[in-house]
Structures are given as C-alpha cells and as structure tokens.
Amino acid sequence: MPKSILAVNAGSSSVKITFYTFDNPPRTIVDAAISGITAPPSTLKYQAGGRKHKEELKEKLSTAQDAFKYLLQRCFSDPELSEVASADDVEYICHRVVHGGDYRDAVEINDETLGHLKGLEDLAPLHNFSALEIVRLCKSELPKVRSITFFDSSFHQTIPEAVRTYPINQEIAKANGLRKYGFHGISYSFILRSVAQFLNKPVEKTNLIVMHIGSGASICAIKDGKSVDTSMGLTPLAGLPGATRSGSIDPSLVFHYTNEAGKLSPASTSEMHISTAEDILNKQSGWKALTGTTDFAQIAVPNPPSEAHKLAFDIFVDRIQGYIGSYYVKLNGELDGVVFAGGIGEKSALLRRTLVDKCQCLGLAIDDVANDKGPGDEETVKDISKGSGKGPRVLICQTNEQVVGFDSFGGKALPRFPKSYDYMQDTEEWAIDAIEGDRLGGGGGIEVSTVVLGPGGSADLQASGFRQ
Ligand SMILES: Nc1ncnc2c1ncn2[C@@H]1O[C@H](COP(=O)(O)OP(=O)(O)O)[C@@H](O)[C@H]1O
Ligand SMILES: CC(=O)OP(=O)(O)O
Ligand SMILES: [Mg+2]
C-alpha cells in the first residue's frame, strides 16, 4: 500500500496533525487536533472521510508530546482508517517549526540539524520548544520515518538588510543572531500562491499586503512575490498584539513593569528558559490582559460587553492600520490586494469592514454583502471588494498551515517522487514557476526534487517533479 505524509503543527497550546496520501492532488486521510493543552480540559477535533467528531478529553495531556502521542494513537487505532494503521504506513513527517534561524529551506532532521535547531529554541520558546519535542519524539519512537522541518521564518529571508537589521552593536547582533526573522511564512507562502492564482498573475509579479491574524497576529508586505517586510521580528512577540501577546511596546517598559523582569519565569523548565518579562509579554498580555478573554469573537462585536472590549478592538485596528499605511508606501502604492487571513481575518466581518473603512484613502473599498457572507467552505480565496476592479482588491484567504510547501526542500531528491519533469506539464503554470523559482536553490546541474503543495479546492499537491 502506498505510504502517507503526516503534517504536524505544534502551537503553544494546540497540536494539529493531518495525514495526506501521495496522490496528485493529495487526499486528506484524517485531520485531528487537540487544543487547550495549557488550559484543561483539552478538546479533540477529529475528521476522517465524512466523519466529524468533537469531544472534551478526560485524559490529562499537559504537553505537546502527550497530545501528539494521543493523536497518533487515535488515528492508528481507528478501525476505519486502514491507510494509516501504524508508523509503517508513514513515509515522511513534515513539522511546522516557527523559528528556523538562517535556514532558507526546509531541512531533514538528523543529529546535526536537530542540534542547530536546539540552539534556536530560546528565540521562540512558546513555539519551537513544543515542535522540537515532537521532532525528538518522532526521531526516537518512529526512527524509520523521515522527519522534515519547515520553517515559518524561511519565507522572510528576502527581507532587505536595512529592514531586518536592528540598530544595535553589530558584532553582538551577528554573534547572537539578533535580527528580524519574521514568522507565519508557511501561511504567507500558501496565501501568496493562492491569491496570485486567483488574480491570474504570476507569483513573481504579485504585490500584496497580507494579514495573518489569529491568536498570534502578523502582517506582511509582499513585493514581486517576495516578503520585503513583516511585523514580527527576532521573535513572534514583535508587531501586532495577539490573544496573550503585547506586540511591540517600548522595550524599557519591562523594567518599569517589574524589577523581576530579567529573572527566570516559574514557567521555565530545565530545558526551556523564559524570562519573567518574556512570560508577561507573551502569555499575560494582549486581549487576555485587557478583557479576560483570549477569544476575539467576544471582542469583535457591534455592541462590546465592556469598555475594555471596545478598547481591545480599537487597539488592534489602530496597530493594523499603521502597518497597512507603512507597507502601502513601502510598496510604492503598487498593490494588487490586501488579504485577510487567520482565524480573525477569515471570520470577523466587523474587523475587515472597520479596517477597510479606515484605509479608504488608499483606494480600498468593501462590498458589505460579500464581506458579511465570508468565504464558503471550499472557497480558498474570496474577493470582497466593492467596485469593478480599479484599485487594490480586498480579499479573504482561508489559509492552511498544514499544507506545507515542499518547494523549499531544495537539493534533495524525494524518493517518493522519482517522476520526470514531464509529469508536470499539465499542471498549473505557477507550480512550474515554483519549481523553477530561485528559492529552490535549483538551476543548472543541481538536482532538485519538488512537491508543491498549494491551493485549489481542498488544499493540495499541485505538482511534483524531479529535475537534473
Ligand atoms: N467570528 C469570529 N470573529 C472574531 N474572531 C474570531 C471568530 N472566530 C474565531 N475567531 C478568533 O480567531 C482566533 C484563532 O485564530 P487561529 O488563526 O485559528 O489561531 P491560532 O493562532 O491559534 O492558530 C481566536 O482568537 C478566535 O477567537
Ligand atoms: C508565529 C506565531 O505566532 O504562530 P501562531 O499564530 O501559531 O501562534
Ligand atoms: Mg496560528
């Protein structure tokens, strides 16, 4: 029986896994997620074929590793899932890792790469630690399955030097890797391809301002298909506020907030170190600190339940508006579209309308009916602009961080795809572009093997190829 690909997305409080077939396009075999790991009881969502299931779990799952083991067992023991009955049915495990440091491409896990990634753990403690715990678990307990890590930061390697450099002592900055990295890149890469295809434009001629706004929120300026700036920085804390994150603040604020700022937080473990300041700004700020809820659906309502809820909404709108203005100028006003994505971006019609109204001077306008309706289940990109096509489009994109792009896995042949380049001739133009693209590190004489997982219906393998 052909083997499957397992995609894993370990967040700070949730773990999501999806098994895909190797078909073209790939079929989702099963989608399973556990949320609320840090705030029990945990909730399981499970979807396989036509079966959908949600339950509160009695089991105490306090770490991402526990949640991953539980999910894996649940899938392997499902009698209706003959395709994934054990680890023998899995060829690759593709992990979303938020911080990839200087890695431009996805990497296969071995002792060397794992050692390097361990060195980055402290830079994204809320994210990398849980992802790498799962990578380590896979390495020890599923040793025959190859693990490949895909980085949120890779997409932003194109950010120019003046944008990514902090004006601090450069020797110290270089020695410690202190620069802007940017995150949510797996999502931005999916959105870029989906939107370019939707607008019928080549990726490398597409200019967008994209918002990935969920419980972690960021915004990205994309010029000619490349990230030129993004709001997150050295860590995912910078930029926009989020469910529990402050976003950008005056850095000296922490020393006025508490004189314990530099001490280790009680949340630290022997392997994971978080300072008190990091803990406060990452986990005890944002909507939660302002309103008591981390659920933006309770904040983005026409009649907010309190002044604090209204303030939280206004703060978010203000910060996003500031970035849109700045990025519009950075893109020289040459903008194809403004894209809303992520849990809030995809679901909050109120936030979209408020923001677009505030950005009217840039030529943005929204169609209220289309905006209120939002995208259908199968609609990856939806145009909600008003007017006949003049001015930048206002779009919603239902992003997908599970469908990681193998396109950046340059320089290594994936044995499951020993197909010739011909295999791709009938695929979408953009997929071929991606194979040819410079981010692949491909080109004359270098062996490149690529599987581009991209948009289109239910999110999908668009092409696979192999080139000498
Ligand atoms: N209808 C809605 N209006 C506003 N926010 C919403 C709505 N539905 C969900 N959300 C918010 O989306 C966020 C989750 O976004 P998501 O991108 O899925 O999260 P994560 O960053 O955890 O991956 C939560 O803050 C949730 O409250
Ligand atoms: C990078 C980041 O903030 O990720 P998430 O939105 O999943 O927390
Ligand atoms: Mg997210």
Side-chain angles (χ1 to χ4, degrees):
M1 192 188 290
K3 294 197 177 192
S4 61
I5 303 174
L6 167 60
V8 188
N9 181 355
S12 37
S13 65
S14 66
V15 178
K16 242 183 222 175
I17 70 169
T18 309
F19 283 93
Y20 293 101
T21 62
F22 265 98
D23 299 322
N24 182 14
R27 183 170 48 79
T28 300
I29 302 168
V30 52
D31 222 346
I34 289 180
S35 53
I37 299 171
T38 43
S42 311
T43 309
L44 169 79
K45 273 195 197 158
Y46 191 89
Q47 191 167 353
R51 290 180 292 142
K52 261 191 187 178
H53 173 73
K54 189 174 173 181
E55 78 182 70
E56 264 186 18
L57 297 176
K58 285 181 214 71
E59 288 81 355
K60 196 169 166 296
L61 304 170
S62 47
T63 65
Q65 270 195 343
D66 291 345
F68 177 71
K69 272 195 229 170
Y70 182 92
L71 289 170
L72 214 52
Q73 222 26 63
R74 188 87 183 210
C75 297
F76 286 160
S77 61
D78 183 339
E80 290 180 47
L81 283 187
S82 55
E83 287 161 293
V84 286
S86 74
D88 290 341
D89 297 324
V90 187
E91 182 87 23
Y92 294 105
I93 306 178
C94 300
H95 305 262
R96 173 188 176 217
V97 174
V98 162
H99 212 308
D102 290 329
Y103 279 125
R104 298 184 84 87
D105 292 327
V107 293
E108 182 162 357
I109 287 297
N110 52 39
D111 290 339
E112 190 193 330
T113 49
L114 194 56
H116 189 78
L117 291 175
K118 183 155 177 43
L120 296 169
E121 237 162 13
D122 282 351
L123 288 181
L126 295 182
H127 292 89
N128 271 35
F129 184 76
S130 26
L132 291 182
E133 283 288 274
I134 293 177
V135 171
R136 281 187 273 268
L137 181 87
C138 291
K139 197 166 175 281
S140 63
E141 296 200 11
L142 309 169
K144 288 199 220 127
V145 190
R146 293 167 68 180
S147 271
I148 301 169
T149 46
F150 292 83
F151 304 110
D152 256 17
S153 46
S154 300
F155 183 73
H156 302 292
Q157 292 285 348
T158 46
I159 291 181
E161 192 179 6
V163 179
R164 67 166 191 256
T165 305
Y166 293 120
I168 55 170
N169 179 310
Q170 289 302 290
E171 268 176 38
I172 295 177
K174 293 222 159 71
N176 296 307
L178 305 181
R179 65 168 175 90
K180 176 182 282 220
Y181 290 90
F183 306 98
H184 288 141
I186 291 170
S187 172
Y188 287 131
S189 158
F190 176 87
I191 294 167
L192 170 63
R193 289 221 184 88
S194 307
V195 169
Q197 190 186 34
F198 181 84
L199 296 175
N200 223 352
K201 285 196 82 164
V203 165
E204 67 279 4
K205 292 202 173 122
T206 303
N207 296 343
L208 302 171
I209 295 176
V210 184
M211 285 157 266
H212 176 109
I213 47 182
S215 44
S218 74
I219 178 162
C220 181
I222 297 177
K223 187 172 170 54
D224 298 332
K226 292 192 169 74
S227 169
V228 291
D229 201 354
T230 190
S231 56
M232 287 180 171
L234 171 69
T235 77
L237 178 60
L240 299 172
T244 61
R245 288 176 230 176
S246 64
S248 289
I249 44 140
D250 181 333
S252 35
L253 177 146
V254 296
F255 304 107
H256 296 270
Y257 189 113
T258 168
N259 52 17
E260 308 267 284
K263 297 201 175 137
L264 277 187
S265 112
S268 297
T269 63
S270 56
E271 288 104 33
M272 179 178 64
H273 309 132
I274 315 179
S275 68
T276 301
E278 280 177 302
D279 191 69
I280 292 169
L281 298 177
N282 278 291
K283 296 202 208 162
Q284 302 173 39
S285 300
W287 325 135
K288 188 173 157 198
L290 290 169
T291 66
T293 179
T294 54
D295 183 2
F296 205 74
Q298 295 181 29
I299 294 168
V301 286
N303 295 306
S306 76
E307 282 299 314
H309 286 71
K310 179 167 174 356
L311 180 63
F313 185 81
D314 292 346
I315 290 174
F316 201 34
V317 168
D318 170 74
R319 301 305 189 270
I320 300 175
Q321 185 191 8
Y323 278 106
I324 293 179
S326 157
Y327 290 172
Y328 185 81
V329 175
K330 288 194 177 199
L331 295 174
N332 214 13
E334 290 156 14
L335 186 62
D336 297 307
V338 168
V339 187
F340 289 90
I344 301 172
E346 291 163 33
K347 299 206 180 88
S348 179
L350 181 65
L351 183 91
R352 293 191 296 257
R353 179 156 46 76
T354 311
L355 265 168
V356 171
D357 283 353
K358 284 188 178 274
C359 297
Q360 275 175 30
C361 63
L362 308 181
L364 302 183
I366 207 164
D367 177 313
D368 276 324
V369 175
N371 181 44
D372 288 345
K373 195 159 170 243
D377 282 353
E378 300 299 319
E379 215 171 2
T380 305
V381 180
K382 181 179 173 90
D383 191 340
I384 54 165
S385 346
K386 190 162 149 185
S388 56
K390 287 235 167 90
R393 303 282 81 202
V394 181
L395 304 163
I396 303 172
C397 179
Q398 304 202 74
T399 192
N400 190 328
E401 292 174 294
Q402 291 299 87
V403 182
V404 286
F406 279 62
D407 57 315
S408 52
F409 192 55
K412 269 202 196 295
L414 292 179
R416 287 296 303 178
F417 294 92
K419 307 271 187 188
S420 76
Y421 190 58
D422 294 343
Y423 178 65
M424 298 174 47
Q425 295 305 314
D426 61 350
T427 61
E428 300 288 335
E429 198 60 39
W430 63 261
I432 293 170
D433 287 346
I435 299 264
E436 307 268 41
D438 53 6
R439 282 198 302 119
L440 286 175
I446 301 174
E447 185 182 270
V448 175
S449 173
T450 299
V451 184
V452 180
L453 295 176
S458 57
D460 331 322
L461 180 61
Q462 290 283 346
S464 61
F466 181 82
R467 185 163 71 121
Q468 290 278 8

